[in-house]
Amino acid sequence: MTWKNTQTRTSTAEAKRWARAVKARDRFKCVTCGYQGTDGKGDVQADHRQPVAEGGQQYDLANGQTLCTPCHKTKTAEETARGLARTGRKLPPEQHPGTITPPTSHAETPTVQPKHTYAMPWDDPSRSTTDPRISAYGPTGKP
């Protein structure tokens, strides 16, 4: 998926012509399982026999084959696993927001102290008991 309004490798006019030619050549039939697709329905897709990332020719009809959607997903997952193993890249598991621990060192903590809000005046320890609203409640500061 692309986040910009640019063309992807498969959205160009040349790629679409190649895909139509591959599917027409194979008569919209999956070469793996034999599923008979329908023109224009989107139930079969053009696939590269040898992936472009592994050196396959992008617009060569001999490097194309027609696959149904389930077969194409399976083949793509295998290619993705090979590509990740080849490059050594691993995606880090996404951490659940509830398991994120707060920073522990002083360098990571914010310098501004959180401001406490007290619901009632007697809960605020900075107030003196001489305040008439508080002293009416006795030495404990609570009713």
Side-chain angles (χ1 to χ4, degrees):
M1 180 179 174
T2 181
W3 293 100
K4 297 179 182 177
N5 291 330
T6 59
Q7 285 190 333
T8 62
R9 181 178 59 87
T10 57
S11 68
T12 64
E14 189 174 7
K16 289 178 182 179
R17 278 193 300 273
W18 174 83
R20 279 193 302 271
V22 168
K23 290 186 280 187
R25 180 199 63 203
D26 295 339
R27 296 191 173 115
F28 300 93
K29 188 172 187 177
C30 178
V31 298
T32 303
C33 69
Y35 172 79
Q36 182 60 55
T38 308
D39 182 15
K41 190 174 178 185
D43 52 353
V44 290
Q45 301 164 356
D47 178 63
H48 292 93
R49 293 179 194 271
Q50 182 181 11
V52 175
E54 295 176 5
Q57 296 298 313
Q58 187 164 350
Y59 301 121
D60 184 14
L61 288 178
N63 190 32
Q65 62 184 356
T66 302
L67 296 177
C68 64
T69 302
C71 290
H72 192 219
K73 283 184 179 183
T74 302
K75 184 176 181 286
T76 302
E78 292 168 359
E79 291 170 356
T80 301
R82 279 198 319 264
L84 290 174
R86 183 176 59 245
T87 61
R89 276 187 57 208
K90 287 187 177 179
L91 298 177
E94 188 172 340
Q95 191 174 6
H96 187 276
T99 62
I100 297 174
T101 57
T104 56
S105 72
H106 293 290
E108 297 175 6
T109 57
T111 57
V112 177
Q113 294 296 325
K115 188 171 185 176
H116 296 287
T117 305
Y118 298 99
M120 300 302 245
W122 55 80
D123 291 332
D124 186 355
S126 67
R127 289 187 171 253
S128 72
T129 56
T130 59
D131 187 341
R133 293 173 291 171
I134 297 174
S135 61
Y137 294 106
T140 63
K142 294 188 178 181

